């Protein structure tokens, strides 16, 4: 059947199945008391199939988009009565409903039913009983059938499609756990620290100028000033780091390590609770750091016997998973949220009253994260990075062997107002699930702590509206509803007895669909929408990187090309994922990334051909960058005592005085009016909801919307400051990223910087950090090697990656 584009929202209800029979079970049609007797014996002795555990799945062709709960011991007439709100951006011939019988190692398909997509495109409600068929599409005996209801809403009929936020009354992202909060305050941070000499002069609305903020200084002040609570979650928290390192901006107590600071605050009576991911590899026979070098065991032992409550929490699976899935989740996936929640004095008042303040973003409180916009490779090795040398991309990387260190670029935020309490509630849910002790503070009993409320007046021109989003499930958060009906009312989704918050992906989809002019993304990973990849040497349906974000981006560009309107997408990623670049896992991720890029560029190329635009470059619409630095040697630099091994990546990078800046940010800016910042990468691990646990915020300033003229609030200033950090320039073309002149200017800068970075000679420091991502794109959208650039500089690692034949996709997507 012809594949048709289905782009919009699909509302589906799966009611029930009828007249099912299991040909593999002799008791399938027997009386219930006899069935239960036989099944009980089967489960007790471990022979046979045991009780039926039936559930239904919804697929758009071969892409799984929905799954009901399990109904036990109703082998003939399971009744689910579950409704689904499904975002879709797929090419499909059919919507496929499958009835499956769950078991300990997977599931058995009982039968499938098909609804042609062409029957849904008129937007009419479709409800009927569908015949269930076998693999050969022959009817299953006994008249087995399933009753469903569907209605499709095309994205072009969405009143928000490509129109931006439009109004201060914008209600936020629908169908989510946390509501949209008004009257808030947001502080945006680029990197862990901003030195005084980084002062881009960026004009904002109302005659104001953008003022950068300092993340680790603000976190240090927040922890220092807390009187009642300090709650921290992290993928990694390292006790030996110091938050204050700028000699020109000293603070009292700034020489304390994070561990000392937290112990001191706990001894003063502040309730200090920490949830740190338990890296299951950091045990016995393996090195104490674990494969991920998170220091989790070190951190736990550091706080032994102190007043700090530190808990290592593994990524436990929720109910309803098979044994294989349980094993995958507990060993492959992580707790990835990075938050700090404190009570804080009211600013500028001598009042005893206090309020809750939360920090959310991409920066873990651990080693290797402290950096500034200058991202030095060698010049800080005798100062702020001497005791914090981070270089996990080379064998034997160490301060004793010298640079280059791996510079770190990241983004974080501070939230004030009622939204800060949503971040607090997330922590409380997680603590109640895995924190062991009942030591959460009953904050409502503290009269001096102001309950959730606005922190700005409604007519304050600098007010913010903010919403918290998550990727998390009932295995990591306490108190999730137990039934799909209650879950849906709470903005959650269900699957096989597993309740999931998948609102980060929803937030990205909604923001992309609202976008009018341009999108700017910085992310540690960029891969997904695998159902749209070319099937070159892979079985697409086995990959499972099903989130919609890359496809939504390319379809947005396609619709703008079709409409003859300007639209640009800029994406910044690392040169490669952190680790040895030649390793199987890094090469596999680069292969998925290349396939994702190629899917997007192919969509764009086809749209250009359809409009008979033959002279356009696909990179005029979508362009990828990475960050790197290169420094000439200066007198007085740190001189290492040892040297890297000859003919190694380390040695070559040291001699050529260059290395990538690691992009760890997780951020998207839309039209300079809306921003998402959090811990979630653009991959399936982060967007799935039942894999890595994540948290993010989406925010805008209601008095700085791109309605009649471009937005010129804090989000605009933040983007311009990031572009100044990356390019070393403030150019008037940067004011209008949607214009082709802007994207060509940025591409030209990045191409020049790539040439300087990859050159055999070095005459001066790299003037900026933004490099073109070193791939070519043909007019047909194929992603190719750049001439002479099969490998990243100083390595033997392929830029386009290499498919892994031994690593399961679930690990690398």
């Amino acid at each position: 059947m012809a594949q048709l584009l289905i782009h919009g929202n699909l509302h589906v209800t799966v009611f029930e199945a009828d007249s099912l029979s299991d040909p593999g079970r002799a008791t399938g049609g027997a009386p219930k008391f006899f069935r239960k007797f036989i099944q009980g014996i089967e489960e007790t002795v471990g022979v046979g199939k045991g009780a039926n555990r039936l559930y239904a799945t919804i697929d758009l062709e071969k892409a799984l988009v929905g799954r009901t709960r399990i109904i036990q011991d109703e082998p003939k007439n399971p009744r689910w009565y579950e409704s689904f709100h499904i975002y879709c951006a797929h090419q499909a011939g059919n919507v496929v409903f499958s009835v499956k019988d769950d078991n300990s190692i997977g599931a058995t398909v009982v039968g499938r039913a098909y609804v042609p997509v062409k029957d849904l495109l008129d937007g009419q409600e479709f409800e009927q009983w569908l015949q269930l068929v076998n693999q050969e599409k022959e009817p299953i005996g006994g008249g087995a059938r399933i009753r469903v209801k569907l209605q499709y809403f095309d994205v072009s009929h969405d009143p928000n499609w490509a129109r931006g936020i439009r109004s201060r009354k914008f209600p936020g992202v629908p169908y989510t756990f946390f509501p949209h909060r008004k009257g808030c305050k947001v502080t945006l941070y680029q990197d862990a620290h901003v030195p005084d000499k980084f002062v881009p002069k960026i004009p904002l609305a109302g005659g104001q100028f953008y003022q950068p903020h300092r993340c680790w200084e603000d976190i240090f002040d927040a922890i220092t000033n807390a009187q009642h609570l300090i709650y921290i979650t992290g993928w990694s928290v390292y006790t030996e780091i110091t938050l204050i390192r700028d000699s020109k901006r000293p603070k009292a107590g700034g020489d304390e390590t994070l561990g000392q600071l937290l112990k001191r605050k706990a001894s003063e009576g502040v309730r200090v609770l920490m949830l740190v991911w338990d890296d299951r590899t950091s045990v016995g026979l393996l090195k104490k750091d674990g494969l991920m070098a998170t220091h989790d065991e070190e951190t736990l032992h550091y706080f032994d016997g102190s007043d700090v409550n530190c808990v290592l929490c593994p990524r436990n699976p929720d109910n309803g998973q098979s044994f294989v899935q349980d094993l995958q989740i507990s060993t492959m996936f992580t707790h990835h949220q990075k938050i700090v929640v404190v009570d804080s004095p009211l600013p500028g008042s001598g009042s005893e009253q206090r309020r809750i303040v939360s920090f959310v973003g991409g920066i873990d409180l651990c080693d290797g994260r402290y950096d500034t916009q200058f991202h030095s490779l060698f010049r800080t090795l005798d100062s702020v990075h001497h005791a914090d040398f981070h270089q996990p991309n080379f064998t034997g990387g160490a301060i004793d062997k010298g640079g280059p260190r791996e510079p770190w670029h990241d983004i974080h935020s501070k939230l004030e107002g009622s939204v800060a309490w949503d971040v607090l509630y997330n922590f409380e849910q997680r603590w109640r699930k895995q924190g062991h002790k009942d030591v959460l503070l009953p904050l409502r009993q503290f009269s001096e702590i102001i309950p959730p409320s606005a922190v700005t007046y409604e007519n304050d021109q600098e007010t913010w509206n903010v919403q918290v989003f998550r990727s998390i499930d009932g295995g990591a958060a306490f108190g999730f509803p137990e039934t799909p009906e209650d879950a849906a009312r709470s903005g959650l989704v269900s699957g096989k007895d597993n309740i999931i918050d998948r609102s980060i992906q929803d937030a990205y989809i909604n923001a992309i669909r609202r976008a009018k002019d341009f999108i700017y993304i910085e992310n540690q990973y960029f891969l997904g929408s695998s159902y749209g990849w070319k099937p070159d040497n892979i079985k697409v349906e086995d990959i499972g990187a099903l989130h919609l974000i890359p496809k939504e981006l390319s379809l947005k560009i396609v619709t703008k090309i079709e409409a003859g309107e300007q639209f640009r997408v800029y994406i910044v990623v690392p040169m490669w994922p952190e680790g040895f670049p030649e390793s199987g896992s890094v090469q596999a991720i680069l292969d998925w990334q290349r396939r994702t890029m190629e899917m997007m560029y192919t969509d764009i190329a086809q749209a250009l051909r359809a409009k008979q635009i033959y002279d356009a470059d696909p990179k005029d619409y979508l362009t990828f960058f990475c960050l790197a630095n290169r420094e000439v040697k200066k007198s007085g630099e740190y001189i290492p005592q040892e040297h890297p091994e000859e003919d190694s990546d380390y040695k070559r990078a040291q001699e050529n005085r260059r290395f990538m800046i690691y992009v760890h940010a997780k951020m998207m800016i839309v039209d300079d009016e809306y921003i998402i910042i959090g811990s979630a990468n653009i991959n399936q691990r982060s967007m799935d909801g039942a894999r890595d646990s994540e948290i993010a915020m989406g925010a805008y300033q209601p008095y700085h919307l791109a309605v009649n003229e471009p937005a010129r609030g804090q989000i605009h200033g933040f983007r311009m400051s990031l572009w100044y950090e990356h390019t070393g320039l403030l150019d008037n073309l940067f004011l209008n990223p949607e214009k082709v002149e802007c994207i060509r200017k940025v591409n030209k800068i990045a191409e020049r910087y790539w040439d300087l970075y990859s050159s055999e000679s070095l005459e001066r420091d790299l003037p900026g950090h933004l490099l073109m991502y070193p791939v070519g794109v043909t007019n047909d959208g194929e992603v190719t090697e750049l001439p002479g650039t099969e490998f990243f500089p100083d390595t033997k690692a392929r830029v386009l990656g290499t498919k892994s034949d031994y690593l399961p996709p679930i690990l690398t997507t």
Side-chain angles (χ1 to χ4, degrees):
M1 184 171 288
Q3 304 264 305
L4 301 171
L5 176 64
I6 179 167
H7 185 206
N9 299 334
L10 191 62
H11 292 187
V12 179
T13 300
V14 179
F15 295 107
E16 60 186 320
D18 188 33
S19 302
L20 300 183
S21 63
D22 185 347
R25 186 192 292 280
T27 61
K32 187 169 184 177
F33 76 90
F34 183 70
R35 283 202 320 271
K36 290 182 74 76
F37 175 71
I38 295 298
Q39 290 163 7
I41 293 174
E42 289 176 345
E43 290 182 349
T44 300
V45 301
V47 175
K49 301 181 76 170
N52 288 91
R53 292 166 50 82
L54 295 173
Y55 65 98
T57 61
I58 309 161
D59 293 77
L60 290 173
E61 218 52 58
K62 295 181 180 180
L64 178 68
V65 293
R67 178 165 28 201
T68 69
R69 70 182 179 276
I70 289 172
I71 301 292
Q72 284 208 189
D73 200 34
E74 288 292 345
K76 301 192 76 172
N77 180 216
R79 298 163 63 86
W80 295 286
Y81 282 78
E82 289 185 41
S83 295
F84 301 83
H85 171 88
I86 298 166
Y87 293 102
C88 37
H90 302 72
Q91 294 279 347
N94 292 288
V95 181
V96 184
F97 295 90
S98 303
V99 177
K100 299 181 180 181
D101 190 357
D102 188 51
N103 56 60
S104 60
I105 59 170
T108 303
V109 177
V110 177
R112 290 194 166 100
Y114 298 83
V115 177
V117 165
K118 64 181 175 60
D119 294 349
L120 304 175
L121 296 182
D122 62 4
Q124 297 299 306
E125 189 176 277
F126 174 101
E127 180 179 347
Q128 68 181 53
W129 284 96
L130 303 172
Q131 190 175 52
L132 287 169
V133 299
N134 61 20
Q135 193 169 354
E136 287 74 37
K137 297 199 174 176
E138 298 168 341
I140 294 174
R145 57 186 186 159
I146 185 170
R147 184 159 73 98
V148 300
K149 180 171 70 175
L150 303 90
Q151 189 170 14
Y152 170 61
F153 300 86
D154 191 84
V155 75
S156 62
H157 299 149
D158 182 345
N160 293 316
W161 170 251
R163 297 183 70 184
I165 291 176
R166 287 189 295 158
S167 168
R168 295 172 200 158
K169 296 179 180 178
F170 173 69
V173 179
Y175 310 108
T176 55
F177 186 83
F178 290 111
H180 175 251
R181 305 292 191 184
K182 296 181 179 180
C184 300
K185 185 179 178 184
V186 174
T187 305
L188 305 173
Y189 302 108
Q190 62 189 104
D191 303 311
H193 185 63
V194 179
D196 290 339
K197 60 184 177 180
F198 182 81
V199 195
K201 195 167 184 179
I202 301 166
L204 305 181
Q208 304 296 310
F209 285 89
Y210 178 74
Q211 296 293 326
H213 301 275
R214 297 168 175 85
C215 184
W216 277 16
E217 279 191 14
D218 285 359
I219 289 177
F220 174 83
D221 289 342
I223 292 173
T224 300
N225 294 325
Q227 291 185 0
H228 296 289
L229 68 109
I230 300 166
Y231 294 169
I232 297 173
T233 72
W235 176 83
S236 172
V237 178
Y238 190 39
T239 56
E240 300 307 304
I241 64 164
T242 53
L243 298 175
I244 305 300
R245 307 189 196 181
D246 189 337
S247 60
K248 295 180 180 177
R249 299 179 59 88
K251 284 180 176 285
D255 56 346
E256 280 186 303
T257 65
L258 177 62
Q260 291 167 341
L261 176 60
L262 293 174
K263 275 186 177 179
R264 175 169 64 81
K265 295 304 294 185
S267 70
E268 293 171 4
V270 178
R271 186 62 50 87
V272 180
L273 307 183
M274 299 171 60
L275 289 170
V276 180
W277 173 52
D278 182 4
D279 179 358
R280 288 289 178 87
T281 66
S282 56
V283 291
L285 297 176
L286 296 165
K287 59 181 182 177
K288 67 178 179 181
D289 276 353
L291 298 178
M292 298 286 193
T294 62
H295 307 288
D296 56 335
E297 295 288 336
E298 263 183 88
T299 299
L300 180 67
H301 294 318
Y302 180 89
F303 291 116
D304 276 352
S306 75
D307 295 316
V308 174
N309 289 274
C310 179
V311 173
L312 298 189
C313 41
R315 177 63 181 95
N316 288 339
D318 198 357
N319 303 323
Q321 309 287 347
S322 70
F323 170 76
V324 173
Q325 289 169 321
D326 282 357
L327 196 63
Q328 287 174 336
I329 288 169
S330 59
T331 57
M332 292 183 179
F333 302 131
T334 76
H335 285 304
H336 203 236
Q337 296 180 347
K338 303 117 175 21
I339 66 174
V340 177
V341 183
V342 299
D343 67 292
S344 177
L346 294 185
S349 86
S351 168
E352 293 295 314
Q353 288 190 305
R354 306 182 70 78
R355 66 186 188 199
I356 297 299
V357 171
S358 298
F359 295 82
V360 171
I363 306 181
D364 281 293
L365 297 177
C366 67
D367 49 330
R369 295 337 187 234
Y370 184 91
D371 212 343
T372 72
Q373 296 66 49
F374 300 101
H375 299 297
S376 179
L377 304 175
F378 298 93
R379 293 170 189 163
T380 56
L381 297 186
D382 58 352
S383 55
V384 296
H385 290 115
H386 189 76
D388 188 8
F389 180 87
H390 185 70
Q391 183 46 278
N393 302 276
F394 301 140
T395 301
I399 186 66
D400 290 345
K401 295 179 184 176
R405 59 176 281 270
E406 178 186 65
W408 197 270
H409 174 65
D410 221 325
I411 290 174
H412 218 72
S413 69
K414 179 170 70 174
L415 307 179
E416 301 172 68
S418 50
V419 69
W421 286 77
D422 292 336
V423 181
L424 168 67
Y425 185 65
N426 165 79
F427 181 91
E428 291 176 336
Q429 280 190 306
R430 287 195 52 196
W431 184 271
R432 289 192 173 101
K433 190 72 177 184
Q434 292 190 293
H436 311 316
K437 296 180 185 176
D438 183 14
V439 290
L440 290 166
L441 286 184
L443 292 182
R444 307 281 179 172
Q445 298 177 17
F446 289 79
S447 59
E448 65 270 36
I449 295 182
I450 301 172
S453 57
V455 294
T456 59
Y457 293 111
E458 194 172 339
N459 62 353
D460 185 336
Q461 298 293 299
E462 292 305 311
T463 190
W464 289 77
N465 293 354
V466 195
Q467 196 169 4
V468 167
F469 309 112
R470 292 187 296 184
S471 292
I472 201 167
D473 64 14
F478 176 82
F480 271 12
E482 295 188 0
T483 68
E485 298 84 359
D486 291 337
R489 280 191 286 272
S490 298
L492 305 171
V493 295
S494 64
K496 276 179 77 178
D497 295 347
N498 187 20
I499 304 299
I500 300 167
D501 186 339
R502 196 178 291 152
S503 53
I504 295 179
Q505 183 181 167
D506 294 355
Y508 271 85
I509 292 169
N510 274 267
I512 294 166
R513 290 183 177 184
R514 283 195 311 270
K516 291 189 301 183
D517 298 318
F518 78 93
I519 288 172
Y520 175 59
I521 290 172
E522 294 186 3
N523 207 283
Q524 183 185 0
Y525 294 93
F526 192 85
L527 61 93
S529 306
S530 59
Y531 54 84
W533 295 354
K534 294 176 182 174
D536 300 339
N537 303 316
I538 59 169
K539 198 173 177 182
V540 169
E541 58 267 31
D542 291 345
I543 305 303
L546 298 176
H547 74 87
L548 271 58
I549 293 166
K551 195 67 173 179
E552 288 283 354
L553 288 165
S554 63
L555 289 178
K556 168 64 74 170
I557 297 169
V558 166
T559 58
K560 289 290 190 173
I561 292 171
E562 291 170 348
E565 297 173 0
Q566 301 205 74
F567 194 88
R568 317 294 163 194
V569 177
Y570 305 76
I571 300 174
V572 179
V573 293
M575 202 173 286
W576 67 78
E578 188 177 62
F580 303 148
E582 296 92 347
S583 67
S585 59
V586 168
Q587 284 290 298
I589 293 168
L590 290 170
D591 179 57
W592 304 141
Q593 177 179 278
R594 189 263 308 168
R595 293 173 190 271
T596 303
M597 289 179 177
E598 190 162 273
M599 173 196 70
M600 298 173 74
Y601 279 124
T602 300
D603 287 347
I604 294 165
Q606 290 173 351
L608 290 170
R609 277 202 304 273
K611 287 287 283 187
Q612 298 183 330
I613 304 171
Y614 299 114
D615 58 345
D617 182 346
K619 291 174 79 171
D620 284 349
Y621 299 85
L622 165 70
T623 185
F624 288 86
F625 307 99
C626 55
L627 302 180
N629 200 4
R630 196 170 188 189
E631 296 174 333
V632 295
K633 192 165 188 174
K634 286 193 171 182
S635 61
E637 270 189 15
Y638 168 74
I639 301 173
Q641 303 301 305
E642 304 172 28
H643 301 285
E645 188 177 330
E646 290 298 323
D647 197 32
S648 63
D649 292 1
Y650 194 176
K651 182 74 170 178
R652 286 186 289 270
Q654 189 175 88
E655 290 175 344
N656 289 314
R657 306 280 297 183
R658 62 189 173 195
F659 199 69
M660 71 168 173
I661 297 167
Y662 197 60
V663 178
H664 192 257
K666 299 95 171 49
M667 179 211 72
M668 182 169 77
I669 289 173
V670 178
D671 297 335
D672 276 352
E673 70 176 6
Y674 187 81
I675 189 167
I676 296 174
I677 291 174
S679 65
N681 297 311
I682 297 179
N683 60 7
Q684 193 64 23
R685 295 176 68 104
S686 287
M687 294 297 165
D688 188 87
R691 296 187 182 183
D692 289 355
S693 63
E694 311 281 6
I695 191 167
M697 70 84 174
Y700 68 95
Q701 292 186 281
Y703 290 95
H704 298 285
L705 302 179
V707 182
N708 298 317
E709 56 188 29
R712 292 293 182 258
Q714 292 296 318
I715 297 171
H716 166 74
F718 189 63
R719 178 186 62 79
M720 290 292 285
S721 183
L722 288 167
W723 284 25
Y724 176 72
E725 171 184 346
H726 300 335
T727 66
L729 301 169
L730 285 177
D731 192 293
N732 283 337
L733 286 174
F734 296 175
L735 297 173
N736 301 104
E738 74 280 4
K739 293 188 175 180
V740 70
E741 294 84 1
C742 179
I743 200 166
R744 286 176 177 169
K745 170 82 172 184
V746 177
N747 281 339
K748 188 174 181 181
I749 292 167
E751 288 167 11
R752 176 170 166 257
Y753 290 173
W754 172 261
D755 289 343
L756 291 171
Y757 178 81
S758 58
S759 168
E760 293 295 319
S761 61
L762 174 61
E763 296 174 0
R764 63 189 181 103
D765 289 354
L766 204 61
H769 301 141
L770 189 75
L771 277 53
M772 63 176 287
Y773 199 83
V775 295
V777 180
T778 70
N779 286 338
D780 292 329
E782 183 185 356
V783 174
T784 63
E785 290 175 7
L786 282 180
T789 313
E790 180 183 358
F791 306 117
F792 292 111
D794 305 322
T795 78
K796 291 298 181 185
R798 293 192 70 237
V799 173
L800 299 182
T802 305
K803 178 180 173 290
S804 173
D805 292 324
Y806 65 91
L807 288 172
I810 195 172
L811 182 63
T812 53
T813 58

